Amino acid sequence: MDASGEREADVVVADGRIVEVGPGLASQHAGAQVLDASGCLVSPGLVDLHTHLRQPGKEEAETIETGSRAAALGGYTAVLAMPNTTPAMDCAAVVREVLELGRSAPCDVHASGAITVERAGAALAPMAEMAELGVRIFTDDGTGVQDDRLMRRALEYSVGLGVTLAQHCEVSSLSEGTCMHEGEWSSRLGLPGQPAEAEELMVMRDIALARLTGARIHLLHLSTAGSVAMVAAAKASGLPVSAEAAPHHFTLTDECCKEYDATFKVHPPLRNAADVAALKAGLADGSIDAIATDHAPHAPEDKERPFDQAPPGMLGLEFALALAFTELVDGGAMSEADVLGTLSWKPAAIAQMVDHGGPVEAGHAANLCIVDPAARWTVDASGGASRSRNVPYVGRELRGKVRHTVLFGEPVVIGGEAQR
Ligand code: DOR
């Protein structure tokens, strides 16, 4: 299954590339290693546009090795590492360190670069030197670029570099001091809430700036119905805007916060049922291009702090595909092929990752995800391969389990087990 459709076939791989695709090929290759994919969908490997690997600086929560292992187990062959590390990925030296550490990872680790120095929002980071290392997405993720003029300059600069700016849409003057969505549940719980408008005002501004500058913009982890509507309108008017949604935002609502369990604290916050429905509809009609995990590991001692003091974020890499099949396909919103598009070939195109996203055809890089769509499993509290345990889906029954993941021809996951 790839962007061109679906067919029943064997896939022959050698030297990191797909060499043949067709029926009955297994018997012609005696001596080859065979991965049993019966009953499975074979898709281009998944691509995550939004992964917090925490290295350098927060290795107690995750490392490039553990995070990329979680990615491989989740069917991902490529992840885009977010720049809110310590130090931030705001110059060539730190980007180079991440790329080098990623070389031995069981998943292709791409680096994003910060838009501003130290993600502080005051001065443009040296984007050109990072672009030279292959960085194609720049973002201050964790915060949005608040200054309109600086964002305009960054967008103008991005055009010449051939890169895309990705925005964490959050107006900090409206979100400061808040810890969940502003609505009925924040009132009941007595917790300070963040209105949907904190996100929507920046979505609105960035669409306007994309129009002004002609630059591409990617909107990260959108969470509100209003944001989806604005992106749909921007696309309809021909603007080069793309957007992603995170699995937790189309699966969970602010009601999950009712036990004050900080596992459910995330930025942007879990919203209400109408927002969840709008995100599903936006994914189904293509207004939202991609599902991106915002995999955000935090050490247990941090997540055990009181709700208002705990850091925001939840794990996602090992659950995204099954959540999408369960919530979106079984929920009647999308087909499996369309879901795989939002998880693989569409994000690969947004991040200009030429070796990922397929097609599953001779000559292309052998980056593959083999998923058993009939397998049902229940999420446990282990956190899987991640160093952290902040899983908000414990006890949920999901459909769809990754059986094998193939990275440049090497099976890095076989039968659901990581090989390195
Ligand atoms: O919940 C979040 N956690 N949202 C973000 O944007 C950043 C992330 C993190 O780094 O923990």
Side-chain angles (χ1 to χ4, degrees):
M1 198 175 258
D2 61 14
S4 69
E6 191 180 338
R7 58 223 173 267
E8 198 171 323
D10 290 337
V11 180
V12 183
V13 163
D15 301 324
R17 306 203 84 80
I18 298 169
V19 292
E20 227 181 328
V21 180
L25 296 175
S27 56
Q28 300 170 23
H29 292 270
Q33 179 183 15
V34 176
L35 298 178
D36 176 15
S38 47
C40 290
L41 303 171
V42 178
S43 144
L46 310 189
V47 172
D48 191 24
L49 292 174
H50 202 136
T51 310
H52 295 277
L53 292 173
R54 300 291 187 231
Q55 197 175 3
K58 269 264 177 197
E59 289 83 354
E60 69 276 20
E62 197 75 288
T63 64
I64 290 174
E65 183 189 338
T66 57
S68 58
R69 188 172 299 129
L73 285 163
Y76 289 89
T77 53
V79 295
L80 183 69
M82 288 293 108
N84 59 339
T85 49
T86 314
M89 292 153 64
D90 65 355
C91 61
V94 186
V95 165
R96 196 176 289 119
E97 180 187 350
V98 168
L99 294 176
E100 268 165 24
L101 286 165
R103 247 168 230 135
S104 54
C107 155
D108 202 7
V109 174
H110 291 246
S112 64
I115 297 171
T116 69
V117 175
E118 292 177 1
R119 299 173 43 254
L124 283 187
M127 288 162 60
E129 68 175 37
M130 293 186 270
E132 259 174 48
L133 293 175
V135 174
R136 292 292 173 268
I137 300 275
F138 288 85
T139 177
D140 275 3
D141 183 56
T143 65
V145 177
Q146 305 296 316
D147 187 284
D148 308 331
R149 184 167 169 273
L150 193 65
M151 190 61 195
R152 174 192 181 172
R153 292 288 175 248
L155 283 164
E156 287 170 345
Y157 203 38
S158 74
V159 177
L161 292 174
V163 301
T164 300
L165 299 195
Q167 188 73 281
H168 172 122
C169 296
E170 180 181 330
V171 172
S172 58
S173 60
L174 284 175
S175 69
E176 240 160 52
T178 69
C179 60
M180 67 175 295
H181 173 63
E182 180 176 303
E184 181 193 335
W185 280 101
S186 63
S187 301
R188 284 202 203 186
L189 297 169
L191 290 171
Q194 176 193 132
E197 285 75 4
E199 173 174 305
E200 291 163 0
L201 282 176
M202 198 170 281
V203 170
M204 190 185 293
R205 181 204 69 176
D206 280 3
I207 289 170
L209 291 179
R211 186 182 304 116
L212 176 65
T213 60
R216 306 196 64 80
I217 183 129
H218 178 69
L219 303 172
L220 300 167
H221 48 41
L222 293 185
S223 67
T224 80
S227 296
V228 178
M230 284 188 277
V231 171
K235 287 186 165 183
S237 69
L239 291 174
V241 174
S242 59
E244 63 180 44
H248 45 268
H249 286 129
F250 63 71
T251 304
L252 308 171
T253 65
D254 54 348
E255 188 181 349
C256 296
C257 305
K258 68 183 174 194
E259 311 287 342
Y260 298 94
D261 178 352
T263 311
F264 297 98
K265 179 175 176 181
V266 65
H267 286 172
L270 300 177
R271 304 287 186 181
N272 63 34
D275 294 309
V276 168
L279 288 179
K280 288 181 174 174
L283 282 161
D285 71 17
S287 306
I288 308 280
D289 304 82
I291 295 171
T293 66
D294 197 2
H295 178 87
H298 290 287
E301 59 271 27
D302 289 331
K303 271 300 201 183
E304 277 157 18
R305 284 154 65 190
F307 197 95
D308 59 332
Q309 294 163 33
M314 34 186 74
L315 302 188
L317 287 167
E318 293 189 53
F319 317 106
L321 176 55
L323 286 164
F325 275 8
T326 308
E327 293 296 319
L328 303 172
V329 180
D330 298 351
M334 294 172 79
S335 67
E336 279 162 352
D338 286 344
V339 160
L340 288 169
T342 64
L343 284 161
S344 175
W345 42 98
K346 289 180 167 184
I350 289 168
Q352 303 182 48
M353 293 185 190
V354 291
D355 283 331
H356 298 272
V360 184
E361 261 172 30
H364 290 269
N367 290 315
L368 301 166
C369 164
I370 295 106
V371 56
D372 179 353
R376 292 186 178 277
W377 56 291
T378 303
V379 180
D380 65 31
S382 72
S386 174
R387 275 209 170 161
S388 294
R389 297 280 173 273
N390 46 319
V391 182
Y393 313 110
V394 175
R396 266 177 196 257
E397 202 199 33
L398 302 179
R399 179 177 72 80
K401 189 99 184 97
V402 172
R403 191 183 287 179
H404 317 298
T405 305
V406 177
L407 177 67
F408 289 106
E410 179 193 344
V412 287
V413 173
I414 301 179
E417 300 288 334
Q419 302 300 296
R420 61 174 162 113

